[in-house]
Amino acid sequence: MKKRGRQGSVTSATAQVACAACGLKPFCTASPPGSANAPCAPRRRLRAGEVLYAQGEPAAALYAVRAGFFKSCVSAASGEPRVVAFHLMGDVLGLDALGGAMHRSTAVALGDGEVCRLALTEAERLMSDHAALAAGLRARMGAQLADAGERMVALCAMPASERVAAHLLEVSRRWAERGYSPSEFGLCMSRKDTGSYLGLTLESVSRTLSQFAASGWIALAGRSVKILDRAALEAQVAGE
Amino acid sequence: MKKRGRQGSVTSATAQVACAACGLKPFCTASPPGSANAPCAPRRRLRAGEVLYAQGEPAAALYAVRAGFFKSCVSAASGEPRVVAFHLMGDVLGLDALGGAMHRSTAVALGDGEVCRLALTEAERLMSDHAALAAGLRARMGAQLADAGERMVALCAMPASERVAAHLLEVSRRWAERGYSPSEFGLCMSRKDTGSYLGLTLESVSRTLSQFAASGWIALAGRSVKILDRAALEAQVAGE
DNA sequence: CGCGATCTTGAACACGGTCAACTGACGTGG
DNA sequence: CCACGTCAGTTGACCGTGTTCAAGATCGCG
């Protein structure tokens, strides 16, 4: 569970860019009011499969992904846990706990990864001092809220092929935002997780991906994907 | 489109309790720093079907529902608009626009209604003065974020009967929270809207409701529902 | 009274889930 | 070193659920 061969090229060597686009950067630089160049707060390394926080746990901090790939799950009463989001470096985890006292989802590392931790007490203190920080976090939450709404639409009432195509393009976009190739990247997640996220079974995901490959839209080798015909995927999302 | 007969009994005579449980109340009472009992900011009455704000419009305010019933829709590229949320009085609309400059959903009145308006500039000003207001709004957004995640799970991968049962119980709970009967209430929305919200066709919704009625779980007359066997519905949600 | 919107009900079909067999990669232990 | 178990992924056949298409029912309103 330590070597990941082909996929390694994508998830390694990522640490140095993380801070530039990090969601918690404003907090980080404002943190010690005197020394502006102090590094980010305590970091934590996680092995593949390790949980960062679990649903129901008291919430004590926000986390920014420095390296690696994470998923957020919620387990409904009586039922398999479902994946509700994936997180790449720069993303902020734990926002859904801001209101209540507990985490309402479980965050798990999909590969070896590292996060920066910002204690909630510290976050609250900083925000009451610097209104701009509070506004920034609100903006991030608002965007996440809007995204969630749009994802509901996208995922709940689209045929399997459109969901998978949409997911491929979303992952592509998010890698591109971070400076990686938009056409050749690693999915970093199992077919099972993908299915859970998209509301499909792993068989349907596998079948659909194979079919895309057979049509020449993509080339796939395990979890690494190469987009050959982006226009076809976009047409698929729009419903042919 | 002005009279709604049977349903009127539920949606009328609601104004007087709205302020007590209103999501914007803290802003409202903090608004004029001197006169604490000043009423809520400008109000706006809407007729059934009227849009409060539309997707893509520049966002200028938050709104609290004073009376009536609203829906939030997002229209995906090339596709019917989909309902992503329903709002009863006390709920806050427009939070998804806090980050960006535009509304990312469309809010429509399902019956005649009234909202209180809080300009974003005013909201920002109040929050930078009163950190507690900012924290309160963050809490509300965090909760909404967590709810969205859980709803994704609930709605995307449950059979039709479970979705409809869950929806009935949710509407019941929300009426009850506001002091109305949890067992006899109005749905206030068309079958089409319900289906859009649940990711089903209106036929499936209608069929499922009829089946619940035939089983004796509920009695239904158009859009008004009487819950006869709550335990059966709850069992349905849990998957029998 | 008849028109339109909303809702109900029925029948046939297709999509995706379930079950099952098979493959290949990886790690362990005989 | 190879046999073995495990785990992720692929592929096939069957079947149930919900969609689609279509007809009819009900209600409000001109």
Side-chain angles (χ1 to χ4, degrees):
Chain A
M1 263 294 185
K2 231 179 210 169
K3 309 179 177 174
R4 27 199 61 252
R6 248 190 317 285
Q7 288 85 42
S9 59
V10 172
T11 53
S12 63
T14 63
Q16 65 275 18
V17 273
C19 276
C22 175
L24 290 183
K25 188 192 175 195
F27 289 88
C28 204
T29 53
S31 190
S35 59
N37 65 344
C40 207
R43 293 184 186 157
R44 177 171 163 198
R45 314 208 91 251
L46 293 104
R47 304 276 292 276
E50 208 173 335
V51 309
L52 177 58
Y53 55 78
Q55 191 169 357
E57 252 177 38
L62 298 176
Y63 302 90
V65 179
R66 257 186 78 73
F69 207 79
F70 290 72
K71 66 176 176 182
S72 288
C73 308
V74 326
S75 52
S78 89
E80 277 287 286
R82 283 276 316 265
V83 177
V84 295
F86 293 109
H87 310 276
L88 280 69
M89 58 261 186
D91 287 339
V92 177
L93 276 73
L95 290 180
D96 60 350
L98 267 186
M102 347 188 98
H103 285 291
R104 291 180 60 181
S105 61
T106 300
V108 181
L110 288 175
D112 296 358
E114 192 177 23
V115 296
C116 292
R117 182 192 147 97
L118 174 69
L120 281 183
T121 52
E122 178 72 358
E124 294 285 350
R125 191 182 65 70
L126 286 170
M127 284 193 285
S128 60
D129 288 356
H130 308 275
L133 286 181
L137 194 69
R138 272 200 303 281
R140 185 164 277 268
M141 294 180 76
Q144 214 161 307
L145 214 46
D147 283 343
E150 281 163 20
R151 267 241 325 291
M152 278 246 347
V153 175
L155 298 187
C156 268
M158 277 179 9
S161 60
E162 299 181 18
R163 299 190 206 189
V164 174
H167 181 242
L168 285 175
L169 292 173
E170 189 200 336
V171 175
S172 162
R173 181 183 57 76
R174 293 175 72 179
W175 279 122
E177 275 172 3
R178 287 157 180 80
Y180 296 93
S181 165
S183 59
E184 198 166 1
F185 49 87
L187 252 23
C188 299
M189 65 203 73
S190 69
R191 300 286 189 265
K192 186 151 175 281
D193 280 338
T194 309
S196 172
Y197 179 64
L198 297 177
L200 299 169
T201 58
L202 65 93
E203 291 97 328
S204 293
V205 173
S206 178
R207 251 184 273 271
T208 309
L209 284 174
S210 300
Q211 176 192 323
F212 284 175
S215 307
W217 309 153
I218 62 172
L220 74 132
R223 296 184 183 179
S224 46
V225 177
K226 187 176 201 172
I227 294 186
L228 302 174
D229 189 347
R230 173 172 297 264
L233 292 177
E234 282 160 354
Q236 195 64 233
V237 173
E240 232 80 13
Chain B
M1 266 289 186
K2 230 180 209 169
K3 307 177 177 173
R4 29 200 58 254
R6 249 190 315 286
Q7 287 87 39
S9 59
V10 173
T11 53
S12 62
T14 63
Q16 65 275 16
V17 273
C19 277
C22 176
L24 291 183
K25 188 192 178 195
F27 288 88
C28 205
T29 53
S31 190
S35 58
N37 64 345
C40 207
R43 292 183 188 158
R44 177 171 162 198
R45 315 209 88 249
L46 293 103
R47 303 275 292 275
E50 208 174 335
V51 310
L52 177 57
Y53 55 78
Q55 192 169 358
E57 254 178 36
L62 299 175
Y63 302 90
V65 179
R66 259 187 74 76
F69 207 79
F70 291 73
K71 66 176 175 182
S72 288
C73 309
V74 326
S75 52
S78 91
E80 278 286 287
R82 283 274 318 263
V83 177
V84 294
F86 293 109
H87 309 277
L88 281 69
M89 58 264 184
D91 288 338
V92 178
L93 277 73
L95 291 180
D96 61 350
L98 266 188
M102 352 188 95
H103 286 291
R104 291 181 59 182
S105 60
T106 300
V108 181
L110 288 175
D112 297 358
E114 193 177 22
V115 296
C116 293
R117 181 192 149 96
L118 174 69
L120 281 183
T121 53
E122 178 74 359
E124 294 286 348
R125 190 181 65 70
L126 286 169
M127 284 193 284
S128 60
D129 289 355
H130 308 275
L133 285 182
L137 193 68
R138 270 199 303 280
R140 183 165 279 265
M141 291 179 78
Q144 213 161 309
L145 214 45
D147 284 344
E150 281 163 21
R151 265 242 325 291
M152 278 248 342
V153 176
L155 297 186
C156 269
M158 280 179 8
S161 60
E162 299 181 18
R163 299 190 205 188
V164 173
H167 182 242
L168 284 175
L169 292 173
E170 189 201 336
V171 174
S172 163
R173 180 182 57 75
R174 292 175 72 179
W175 279 122
E177 275 172 2
R178 287 159 178 80
Y180 295 92
S181 165
S183 58
E184 197 166 1
F185 51 86
L187 251 22
C188 300
M189 65 202 74
S190 69
R191 299 288 189 267
K192 187 152 174 279
D193 280 337
T194 308
S196 172
Y197 179 66
L198 297 177
L200 300 169
T201 58
L202 65 94
E203 291 97 326
S204 293
V205 173
S206 179
R207 252 185 272 271
T208 309
L209 285 174
S210 300
Q211 176 193 324
F212 285 174
S215 307
W217 308 154
I218 62 172
L220 75 130
R223 296 184 183 178
S224 45
V225 176
K226 186 175 201 172
I227 294 186
L228 302 174
D229 188 346
R230 173 172 297 264
L233 292 177
E234 281 159 355
Q236 195 64 232
V237 172
E240 232 79 12

